[in-house]
Amino acid sequence: MKALTSNRERFMGLLRKIRTTGRVAEPAPPRPDGQPPDAARQLGGSAQVRCVDAGSCNGCEIEIAAAFNPVYDAERYGARLVASPRHADVALVTGPVTRNMAEPLRRTVAAMAEPRLVIAVGDCALDCGEFAGGYGVEGAVGDVVPVDLAVPGCPPEPDAIVAALRRVTGR
């Protein structure tokens, strides 16, 4: 019986601590500069995001995951990850487009409903980066599909990814 009382007291102490602490989160950074793309104005403040790895080294994917973790929390600005391009408004494309991924990338973007946006994430997506001139590289993302926004960096900081998504959502 004593063990139950001790556990209950610890539990109640934890609840008291949670109640007095409240929600702890980073303050929202200032709104990003620049006008949102024309298609972004039609999204109504929220965007469903599909990530596409077109042949990257996985560094940008790690930073995208960090942008959606509880520290940076891109969801509080209206951006939400989805698993299907048919549900997506925005495609976050990383890496240089390899020959095997050129057609799947075109089909993925074509499967997205209008209005749709493509954001090229990372230097490799913008100009092929370290992979430029490689035998298996088709080209940059802009060579395969139209790009609306670019996030430079190798890999880009999660702040930069969140800023690009905030330009899309307008929040």
Side-chain angles (χ1 to χ4, degrees):
M1 186 70 170
K2 185 175 181 178
L4 288 175
T5 306
S6 174
N7 285 339
R8 184 165 195 260
E9 288 172 3
R10 276 187 280 194
F11 179 72
M12 294 306 288
L14 180 63
L15 284 178
R16 245 182 266 108
K17 186 174 184 179
I18 290 170
R19 187 177 45 207
T20 58
T21 303
R23 183 173 180 209
V24 178
E26 296 290 322
R31 285 185 173 222
D33 295 334
Q35 292 293 329
D38 292 333
R41 293 188 183 104
Q42 299 174 20
L43 296 179
S46 69
Q48 312 305 310
V49 179
R50 172 75 172 124
C51 296
V52 179
D53 180 352
S56 76
C57 67
N58 210 33
C60 294
E61 283 76 14
I62 293 169
E63 300 302 320
I64 289 171
F68 283 90
N69 75 14
V71 175
Y72 295 97
D73 197 12
E75 285 197 23
R76 69 178 160 165
Y77 303 115
R80 197 185 78 157
L81 291 174
V82 293
S84 171
R86 298 201 185 275
H87 301 155
D89 304 314
V90 176
L92 286 181
V93 185
T94 61
V97 182
T98 61
R99 291 182 186 189
N100 290 340
M101 279 301 293
E103 188 58 29
L105 178 60
R106 287 186 195 100
R107 289 181 184 178
T108 297
V109 172
M112 295 167 57
E114 292 285 344
R116 60 178 167 239
L117 296 162
V118 176
I119 300 176
V121 179
D123 290 343
C124 294
L126 299 176
D127 60 5
C128 298
E130 296 292 319
F131 303 100
Y135 70 92
V137 175
E138 181 83 14
V141 174
D143 299 337
V144 178
V145 294
V147 173
D148 299 295
L149 284 173
V151 183
C154 184
E157 298 279 328
D159 286 336
I161 297 168
V162 171
L165 291 171
R166 288 185 71 192
R167 278 187 61 193
V168 169
T169 61
R171 293 183 175 185

